Amino acid sequence: MVLLELLSGLSGLVKVKHHVDIDSAVFKLHYRITAPMLFCFCLLVTANSLIGDPINCVHDDNPRLKTKVVNTYCWIHTTFTLPKYMHRGYGRGTGVAYPGVGPHDSSDAKVHHAYYQWVPFVLFLQGLMFYTPHWLWKTWEGCKLGSIVMGLSQPVMNKDERREKIHLLAEYLHASIHYHNFYAIKFFLCELLNLVNSVFNMWFMNKFLGGMFFTYGLDVLSFTETNQEERTDPMIVLFPRVTKCSFNMYGPSGTIESHDLMCVLALNIINEKIYVFLWFWFVILSSVSFLALLYRLLVFCIPAIRSGLLQKRARLRYKTGLEAIGKKLQVGDFFLLYLLSKNVELISFSSLMEELSTRLARRPVHPDLEVTASPPSSSERFHLMSQSA
């Protein structure tokens, strides 16, 4: 029940619908899926009620050895495994109690395991890292898109009210043309940060787990396809379930007594599954993020693609007006229109594109142009025609 209460606090991060949609589907994979997932894993590995104590060490019947003290000591000062016993058979007649666990002396190589102390903190830090680009873009965006949508996302609206709002929005877009490039650049930087996040986190987990994470998923797949008696489970190698711990204490006469303990790390049953899933997830996420960034570069660099996307979004039958838009709009203008197309109802967006294309085709765009100027009256047009005659 406590775990469910903690998980319910993360529901705000995975809202299906916000007031306005200011990013892409791939962008949402980072802050709506990956970040809450990492926070959930962080809570999962700290929920000791699921598996009991994270570590339990076996010791002799010495009354001066307290179980709680021994467990705490081995948890804090790390446990270890012996590489020479890791890939050998174990059980009766082998001299090896478990992979990596067996008799040893001071000259034997040891692999110390201290990562399990830091797993919750690392998962929480990774969750913050994947949420940061969304927070940064939301801060930079400053509710700009929500302020100019003006309720045009509603499919049912008074005809005159719709026409008035479309007219005002077209005026704003025409007046602010060529002033949105930095807006688009900031979004591109956040998408780039998402990709860097994915790649960096794979490198970071590889360093955190002693250089074994890069091939971890492939090793697990290979193990499932081979005879399990011929090789050791890579999940046990990276996340050993049974380890050794050396506990030293003073004897009755003041001499140092060394106790060789065998410890069961029940928490690694959860850790090994979490990191197998994260390996596959980060590989997929990095690939998708790279393709999304490549797609964004192509869209930003090729005007024909931008015009085609706007035509598809507006579902206009004729491309004449959109060709004028494609020639005069810059990257930032296109990006703002593309976001509007995701938040404005289809009929309203089609009307907006038609009016905007008319404005752009009718007169040149200049920053000092008075957008609110009305078209010439009939008498003025007659006067101009008589002068030209």
Side-chain angles (χ1 to χ4, degrees):
M1 293 298 293
V2 176
L3 181 61
L4 292 177
E5 291 177 2
L6 292 173
L7 293 177
S8 64
L10 300 175
S11 59
L13 296 177
V14 290
K15 290 180 180 178
V16 177
K17 183 66 176 177
H18 290 276
H19 179 57
V20 289
D21 188 359
I22 60 174
D23 46 49
S24 64
V26 175
F27 206 115
K28 291 179 177 64
L29 287 177
H30 290 260
Y31 71 90
R32 283 194 187 173
I33 304 298
T34 307
M37 179 176 64
L38 289 167
F39 290 139
C40 288
F41 287 158
C42 175
L43 294 176
L44 187 62
V45 297
T46 56
N48 294 339
S49 59
L50 297 178
I51 58 172
D53 295 331
I55 186 172
N56 277 293
C57 297
V58 180
H59 57 82
D60 53 29
D61 294 331
N62 190 329
R64 295 187 303 118
L65 286 178
K66 305 299 181 181
T67 300
K68 188 174 182 179
V69 174
V70 170
N71 290 342
T72 303
Y73 174 87
C74 292
W75 178 264
I76 294 174
H77 289 274
T78 74
T79 59
F80 63 91
T81 53
L82 304 170
K84 69 177 183 179
Y85 296 128
M86 186 58 68
H87 300 286
R88 290 171 51 180
Y90 62 94
R92 185 184 299 273
T94 63
V96 179
Y98 201 79
V101 177
H104 73 283
D105 52 42
S106 58
S107 63
D108 290 332
K110 300 178 183 179
V111 177
H112 290 270
H113 306 283
Y115 61 86
Y116 47 76
Q117 303 171 2
W118 297 97
V119 166
F121 303 101
V122 170
L123 290 173
F124 183 78
L125 176 62
Q126 288 179 290
L128 291 179
M129 291 173 66
F130 277 94
Y131 192 78
T132 297
H134 167 68
W135 174 83
L136 190 61
W137 167 236
K138 194 174 181 180
T139 303
W140 281 345
E141 203 271 340
C143 299
K144 176 179 180 178
L145 189 64
S147 64
I148 65 176
V149 168
M150 298 187 301
L152 288 172
S153 58
Q154 302 176 5
V156 180
M157 186 184 300
N158 181 275
K159 189 175 181 180
D160 294 332
E161 181 184 1
R162 184 194 300 272
R163 185 184 301 111
E164 178 65 21
K165 289 183 176 181
I166 291 174
H167 175 74
L168 292 175
L169 183 53
E171 269 194 3
Y172 166 76
L173 293 173
H174 188 249
S176 62
I177 199 168
H178 299 173
Y179 284 95
H180 307 292
N181 287 337
F182 194 50
Y183 183 77
I185 290 174
K186 287 187 286 189
F187 179 77
F188 180 80
L189 290 177
C190 289
E191 281 197 320
L192 179 61
L193 185 57
N194 281 332
L195 176 60
V196 172
N197 242 344
S198 302
V199 177
F200 172 78
N201 271 272
M202 291 193 67
W203 173 85
F204 176 69
M205 285 190 289
N206 188 64
K207 298 292 289 184
F208 175 62
L209 297 175
M212 298 180 63
F213 183 75
F214 279 156
T215 61
Y216 182 49
L218 295 176
D219 291 339
V220 172
L221 286 179
S222 300
F223 176 74
T224 59
E225 297 176 356
T226 59
N227 187 353
Q228 298 184 8
E229 297 180 357
E230 297 178 357
R231 55 176 300 187
T232 305
D233 189 345
M235 291 192 290
I236 293 179
V237 176
L238 186 55
F239 299 101
R241 301 163 191 171
V242 180
T243 57
K244 293 172 65 70
C245 176
S246 296
F247 183 78
N248 299 321
M249 61 180 300
Y250 286 105
S253 62
T255 58
I256 297 179
E257 295 179 349
S258 180
H259 298 271
D260 191 29
L261 311 176
M262 188 172 72
C263 300
V264 177
L265 299 176
L267 187 62
N268 277 349
I269 294 294
I270 295 178
N271 287 336
E272 64 184 22
K273 274 75 173 181
I274 286 176
Y275 281 94
V276 166
F277 178 82
L278 288 180
W279 188 90
F280 289 102
W281 178 255
F282 279 125
V283 168
I284 295 173
L285 188 64
S286 300
S287 303
V288 172
S289 300
F290 174 76
L291 294 176
L293 194 65
L294 183 61
Y295 168 77
R296 189 74 59 192
L297 280 172
L298 292 175
V299 170
F300 281 4
C301 295
I302 304 177
I305 297 180
R306 301 200 293 267
S307 299
L309 284 174
L310 288 179
Q311 182 186 6
K312 182 179 179 180
R313 284 283 180 174
R315 297 187 182 179
L316 296 179
R317 184 175 301 176
Y318 304 105
K319 299 193 296 182
T320 306
L322 285 174
E323 290 176 354
I325 290 181
K327 293 178 181 178
K328 296 187 177 181
L329 293 187
Q330 294 183 355
V331 169
D333 307 314
F334 158 78
F335 181 66
L336 183 60
L337 283 173
Y338 182 77
L339 289 181
L340 280 172
S341 69
K342 299 172 64 176
N343 293 277
V344 173
E345 195 268 333
L346 177 59
I347 297 176
S348 300
F349 185 70
S350 298
S351 301
L352 173 66
M353 293 300 297
E354 289 176 353
E355 181 167 348
L356 183 60
S357 62
T358 301
R359 288 172 178 269
L360 293 175
R362 186 176 58 200
R363 54 189 176 182
V365 178
H366 191 276
D368 299 327
L369 186 64
E370 183 64 34
V371 177
T372 57
S374 57
S377 62
S378 57
S379 59
E380 291 174 338
R381 286 198 300 268
F382 177 79
H383 181 66
L384 291 174
M385 291 174 63
S386 62
Q387 283 185 340
S388 61

